């Protein structure tokens, strides 16, 4: 398939109900965790997106068999006999690094290409390495490949993470579950995707307490005590937050279904403060707005703080608010590239270090823009829906990494959004 773009006819509205897919950031790690349980694991509610295809390829290269039927993956790890993940895969998707912990857990060793820089900041892996070293892992680097060995086996340890890194918490968990003795992870990440991973590991036979809290305790078990399992991925809070932002932008009402509202508490708080009505049920949220958007002050923080993955979508809301907003990005240093694309559509944004000062404008104009990353791409399509005239969003491969049928779902809510081949 050749390159495509998304063309949006503006002055549109979004109204209706949309079913939210399984969380990308959870499913990727659940797939990696399946390495630890020899046999066939079934993972349900897996989104049909390109990052999942890449992770399937990573697992296939290791010797696993991955079959997809609709939104269910059957991953048979019986014949996994390799512990190497090459640069050509890691460079396409940084989350490939999450096989490091499970490979060390299963083989006592791993060879994973070092991830390079990424457009949204330096994204180091020092905390992954420090925490695994505490468990007894030794690292060498050979021509860009990280070589992990455990000459004295894996043993439990007490580790305080410098920052509640999602990836470092996950990698450490997936090695600690088979380390000898107990492990305490202090200042652990508390994201719903961490809880989901711990749930799956416990179903496989691991012993973990405190998932979703800052201190996670792991009592190591023998690798032979872990087996395959059947697990359903949690809903994608970022996809849900993106559609809610769309509803807040156009007035809605928009209802996102199949998502636990407690995952989005901080975002809902901010939406309400911006003048939106948000109602919640057991597994849905509805947003609508009749008055003007009010300005906001947002700081991105680890969960349960405001998620960096919804920063661009809320910057778009702030752009059309009645007053001056400030957004501070604390998680990824370079995540304001979206602002310059939005300015091409008429936004008034000043960037100062990791702060963005956004002066609300009356409206946006359609323009050709580029998706600089996954979330920025999704937000630009929303911007096109409220802008005047036509907007073309290029580089939509980023959107396809994380949103299943984004254009189709927006069309089902009434927007005029189509994918087109780029000449
Ligand atoms: C995950 C999510 C990403 C989300 C992010 C924060 C996946 C595939 N991606 O990314 O969508 O935006 O959580 O919620 O799940 N850091 C270090 N050293 C380390 C590890 C991280 O300095 O060893 C820094 C990073 O550069 C970044 C910050 O810590 O500035 C947060 O990173 P982390 O929480 O690890 O995010 P990811 O797991 O990469």
């Amino acid at each position: 398939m050749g390159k495509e773009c998304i063309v949006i006819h503006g002055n549109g509205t979004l109204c209706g109900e949309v079913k939210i897919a399984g969380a990308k950031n959870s499913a990727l790690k659940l797939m990696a965790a399946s390495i630890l349980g020899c046999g066939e694991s079934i993972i349900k509610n897996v989104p049909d997106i390109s990052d999942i295809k890449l992770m399937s390829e990573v697992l296939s290269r290791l010797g696993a068999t991955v079959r997809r039927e609709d939104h269910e993956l059957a991953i048979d790890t019986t014949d996994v006999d390799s512990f190497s993940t090459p640069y050509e895969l890691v460079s396409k998707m940084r989350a490939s690094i999450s096989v490091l912990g499970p490979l060390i857990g299963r083989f006592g060793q791993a060879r994973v290409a070092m991830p390079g820089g990424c457009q949204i900041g330096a994204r180091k892996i020092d905390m992954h390495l420090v925490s695994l070293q505490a468990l007894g892992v030794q690292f060498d680097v050979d021509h860009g490949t990280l070589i992990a060995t455990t000459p004295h086996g894996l043993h439990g340890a007490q580790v305080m993470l410098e920052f509640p890194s999602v990836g470092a918490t996950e990698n450490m968990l997936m090695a600690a579950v088979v380390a000898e003795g107990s492990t305490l992870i202090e200042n652990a990440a508390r994201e719903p995707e961490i809880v989901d991973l711990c749930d799956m590991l416990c179903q496989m036979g691991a012993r973990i307490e405190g998932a979703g809290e800052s201190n996670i305790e792991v009592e190591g078990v023998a690798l032979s005590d872990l087996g395959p399992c059947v697990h359903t991925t949690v809903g994608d809070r970022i996809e849900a937050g993106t559609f809610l932002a769309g509803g807040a932008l156009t007035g809605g009402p928009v209802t996102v279904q199949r998502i636990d509202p407690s995952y989005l508490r901080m975002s809902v708080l901010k939406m309400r403060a911006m003048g939106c009505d948000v109602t919640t049920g057991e597994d849905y949220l509805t947003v609508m707005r009749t008055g003007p958007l009010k300005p906001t002050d947002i700081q991105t923080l680890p969960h349960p703080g405001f998620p960096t993955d919804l920063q661009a979508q809320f910057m778009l809301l702030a752009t059309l608010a009645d007053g001056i907003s400030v957004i501070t990005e604390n998680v990824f240093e370079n995540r304001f590239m979206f602002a310059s694309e939005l300015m091409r559509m008429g936004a008034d944004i000043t960037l100062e270090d990791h702060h963005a000062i956004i002066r609300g404008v009356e409206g946006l104009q359609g323009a050709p823009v580029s998706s600089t990353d996954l979330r920025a791409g999704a937000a630009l399509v929303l911007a096109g829906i409220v802008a005047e005239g036509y907007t073309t969003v290029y580089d939509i491969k980023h959107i396809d990494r994380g949103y299943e049928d984004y254009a189709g779902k927006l069309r089902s809510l009434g927007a005029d959004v189509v994918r087109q081949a780029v000449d």
Side-chain angles (χ1 to χ4, degrees):
M1 197 168 59
K3 268 196 188 164
E4 289 184 315
C5 59
I6 292 182
V7 179
I8 307 120
H9 188 186
N11 294 323
T13 54
L14 292 171
C15 174
E17 295 167 358
V18 63
K19 287 189 177 61
I20 297 306
K24 164 182 95 74
N25 288 351
S26 210
L28 289 170
K29 323 306 168 60
L30 302 175
M31 292 172 74
S34 71
I35 295 172
L36 286 164
C38 192
E40 186 178 82
S41 282
I42 308 286
I43 308 178
K44 300 184 183 186
N45 200 29
V46 177
D48 192 2
I49 51 176
S50 64
D51 267 11
I52 295 290
K53 292 193 181 84
L54 264 170
M55 187 53 102
S56 303
E57 206 177 322
V58 169
L59 294 180
S60 303
R61 291 283 188 98
L62 297 170
T65 311
V66 186
R67 282 184 296 114
R68 174 188 268 279
E69 206 166 294
D70 196 15
H71 287 90
E72 194 168 299
L73 287 187
I75 306 173
D76 192 337
T77 60
T78 313
D79 296 329
V80 168
D81 56 359
S82 158
F83 44 84
S84 296
T85 302
Y87 182 66
E88 62 179 280
L89 293 177
V90 180
S91 61
K92 282 191 200 144
M93 184 182 64
R94 197 178 177 281
S96 312
I97 189 82
S98 56
V99 296
L100 182 63
L103 285 177
I104 293 170
R106 178 144 171 189
F107 296 105
Q109 52 185 324
R111 295 173 65 95
V112 178
M114 302 266 283
C118 156
Q119 285 193 327
I120 58 170
R123 297 191 86 163
K124 294 183 288 188
I125 55 163
D126 54 326
M127 281 184 262
H128 297 238
L129 305 189
V130 167
S131 50
L132 289 167
Q133 274 164 344
L135 298 176
V137 182
Q138 289 186 5
F139 289 105
D140 278 307
V141 178
D142 182 31
H143 297 278
T145 295
L146 197 60
I147 300 177
T149 51
T150 50
H152 309 294
L154 283 172
H155 53 75
Q158 179 172 348
V159 172
M160 179 180 265
L161 294 177
E162 202 179 308
F163 179 91
S165 153
V166 172
T169 303
E170 291 165 341
N171 256 329
M172 187 167 182
L173 273 168
M174 290 191 274
V177 289
V178 291
E180 199 180 325
S182 50
T183 293
L184 175 63
I185 311 177
E186 293 177 282
N187 200 23
R190 296 157 66 189
E191 272 68 2
E193 294 78 25
I194 299 277
V195 179
D196 202 22
L197 173 63
C198 289
D199 281 349
M200 171 154 160
L201 289 168
C202 288
Q203 280 179 61
M204 293 171 80
R207 293 171 59 192
I208 305 170
E209 299 266 340
E213 293 164 27
S214 288
N215 284 356
I216 304 182
E217 285 177 75
V218 183
E219 194 57 48
V221 299
L223 181 63
S224 55
D225 288 341
L226 296 185
C229 73
V230 178
H231 182 84
T232 303
T233 315
V234 293
D236 195 316
R237 64 196 162 98
I238 306 302
E239 188 198 12
T242 303
F243 282 105
L244 287 173
L249 195 66
T250 65
V254 167
T255 298
V256 290
Q257 298 168 322
R258 296 191 186 169
I259 183 75
D260 180 340
S262 70
Y263 297 170
L264 283 153
R265 285 181 62 202
M266 185 59 76
S267 311
V268 167
L269 232 136
K270 290 294 175 189
M271 270 188 191
R272 287 186 177 139
M274 290 182 84
C276 304
D277 287 326
V278 185
T279 50
T280 60
E282 201 181 325
D283 67 346
Y284 71 86
L285 299 97
T286 301
V287 66
M288 65 177 291
R289 180 175 60 83
T290 45
L293 275 167
K294 295 182 194 155
T296 187
D297 184 349
I298 288 177
Q299 299 212 27
T300 65
L301 286 168
H303 192 78
F306 188 91
T308 176
D309 288 350
L310 286 176
Q311 184 252 99
Q313 297 86 323
F314 275 68
M315 184 180 283
L316 170 61
L317 290 179
T319 288
L320 292 172
D322 194 5
I324 300 174
S325 300
V326 179
I327 296 186
T328 303
E329 174 58 62
N330 294 311
V331 181
F332 290 111
E333 65 262 44
N334 289 342
R335 223 176 194 183
F336 281 150
M337 292 167 306
F338 165 72
S340 39
E341 291 304 297
L342 202 55
M343 283 191 265
R344 302 188 57 250
M345 296 177 74
D348 181 350
I349 305 171
T350 310
L351 299 179
E352 281 177 18
D353 193 23
H354 63 306
H355 306 285
I357 295 122
I358 304 132
R359 288 176 184 80
V361 293
E362 287 292 317
L364 295 171
Q365 296 123 39
V369 285
S370 283
S371 169
T372 47
D373 74 29
L374 164 59
R375 307 303 169 188
L380 284 170
V381 176
L382 295 182
I385 292 172
V386 283
E388 180 212 322
Y390 283 90
T391 294
T392 305
V393 180
Y394 292 96
D395 285 329
I396 63 168
K397 61 177 189 293
H398 292 294
I399 300 177
D400 293 337
R401 283 186 43 212
Y403 289 88
E404 179 177 322
D405 191 21
Y406 191 48
K409 285 186 178 181
L410 288 168
R411 269 197 304 276
S412 78
L413 295 173
D416 186 348
V417 174
V418 288
R419 291 176 74 106
Q420 270 182 20
V422 177
D423 306 328

